[in-house]
């Protein structure tokens, strides 16, 4: 048997590596390929669905989204006789656009995390209009890091902006939880959180998103 999920980072900042190296029981296969992006070519022959997580603005939650979607998919699929899903974490900068473009060559779809903050609007628009839409790949914008304690004004404004652009938007929203921030230090992914109400709600967001995107046994 082999792992059903493979997570790849092509981000030179290697925050995915920093996090993954702290996880004692990694639920998926993992590698860092920013220095060897040509290695992504092997993905063409795996038969797996390749999902690129992209936004050229830093700090929007790409790594958290990548690792936790990978963990959720791995939890649903368990071990398999073949690789089913690949999740690629990409750079949050314009300088490394060549790496993002390389990943898009092998992708089946793109996930665009976007926090409900006005400062994220223009960089997200640039990523979609200049890079993702020209690729012709299906994509969805996922509102990420929304704190319900802030009320729904920013959330509604962000939904309105995304919809006004005509971009496909995920119905699932990834809420902001301190447990997600601590997880990177503690070496955990969302499926490994403690059994309590907050952890359950945090997990629920990612399971809901994975279900909506079809990253389960039937995908």
């Amino acid at each position: 048997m082999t792992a059903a999920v493979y997570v790849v980072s092509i981000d030179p900042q290697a925050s995915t590596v920093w996090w993954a190296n702290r996880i004692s029981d990694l639920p998926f296969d993992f590698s860092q390929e920013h220095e060897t992006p040509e290695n992504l070519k092997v993905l063409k022959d795996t038969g797996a669905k390749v999902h690129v997580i992209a936004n050229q603005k830093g700090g929007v939650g790409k790594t958290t989204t990548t690792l936790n979607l990978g963990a959720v998919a791995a939890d649903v699929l368990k071990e398999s006789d073949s690789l089913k899903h690949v999740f690629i974490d990409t750079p949050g900068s314009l300088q490394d656009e060549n790496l993002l473009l390389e990943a898009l060559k092998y992708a089946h779809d793109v996930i665009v995390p976007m926090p409900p903050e006005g400062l994220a609007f223009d960089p997200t628009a640039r990523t979609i209009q200049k890079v993702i839409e020209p690729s012709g790949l299906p994509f969805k914008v996922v509102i990420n890091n929304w704190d319900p304690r802030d009320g729904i004004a920013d959330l509604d404004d962000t939904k309105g902006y995304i919809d006004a652009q005509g971009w496909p938007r995920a119905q699932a929203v990834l809420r902001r939880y301190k447990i997600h921030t601590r997880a990177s230090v503690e070496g955990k992914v969302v499926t490994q959180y403690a059994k309590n109400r907050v952890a359950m709600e945090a997990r629920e967001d990612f399971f809901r998103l994975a279900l909506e995107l079809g990253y389960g046994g039937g995908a």
Side-chain angles (χ1 to χ4, degrees):
M1 303 293 280
T2 184
V5 173
Y6 175 37
V7 172
V8 188
S9 172
I10 56 168
D11 183 357
Q13 291 190 3
S15 53
T16 314
V17 179
W18 184 86
W19 189 340
N21 283 345
R22 283 168 165 72
I23 302 172
S24 58
D25 186 19
L26 204 62
F28 42 69
D29 288 337
F30 172 80
S31 70
Q32 175 75 22
E33 304 290 353
H34 75 277
E35 293 183 341
T36 52
E38 62 275 9
N39 288 349
L40 296 178
K41 291 178 183 177
V42 303
L43 298 177
K44 290 192 302 182
D45 302 320
T46 63
K49 296 292 185 183
V50 179
H51 319 290
V52 168
I53 292 77
N55 192 323
Q56 290 173 300
K57 183 181 186 335
V60 300
K62 288 187 297 296
T63 298
T64 301
T65 302
T66 303
L67 288 175
N68 285 331
L69 276 178
V72 165
D75 187 73
V76 171
L77 295 167
K78 307 301 183 188
E79 289 189 336
S80 172
D81 57 359
S82 65
L83 182 63
K84 301 294 186 184
H85 293 282
V86 178
F87 296 89
I88 302 180
D89 189 18
T90 62
S93 69
L94 298 177
Q95 290 84 351
D96 297 303
E97 188 170 294
N98 61 308
L99 292 171
L100 172 55
L101 290 171
E102 185 67 17
L104 293 175
K105 291 180 184 177
Y106 312 107
H108 292 89
D109 60 20
V110 185
I111 303 160
V112 186
M114 178 180 175
E117 303 167 1
L119 289 174
F121 288 11
D122 285 350
T124 301
R126 194 239 177 239
T127 302
I128 291 172
Q129 294 166 0
K130 302 292 186 182
V131 182
I132 298 174
E133 287 182 333
S135 76
L137 290 166
F139 70 93
K140 275 199 175 178
V141 180
V142 177
I143 298 176
N144 180 55
N145 211 26
W146 170 58
D147 192 336
R149 295 173 299 182
D150 293 338
I152 64 170
D154 289 342
L155 177 63
D156 286 345
D157 286 349
T158 304
K159 288 179 178 178
Y161 175 78
I162 294 168
D163 295 347
Q165 305 305 310
W167 300 333
R169 171 172 59 84
Q171 295 302 305
V173 173
L174 300 177
R175 291 168 288 184
R176 180 178 183 178
Y177 287 104
K178 195 162 190 177
I179 193 170
H180 289 320
T181 306
R182 291 199 306 266
S184 61
V185 177
E186 294 174 355
K188 294 180 180 178
V189 285
V190 72
T191 53
Q192 300 167 333
Y193 290 177
K195 309 294 186 191
N196 57 50
R197 181 186 59 81
V198 172
M200 182 183 69
E201 292 176 354
R203 283 195 301 271
E204 184 181 73
D205 288 352
F206 282 97
F207 275 100
R208 187 182 296 117
L209 178 61
L211 181 64
E212 179 182 344
L213 298 176
Y215 299 165

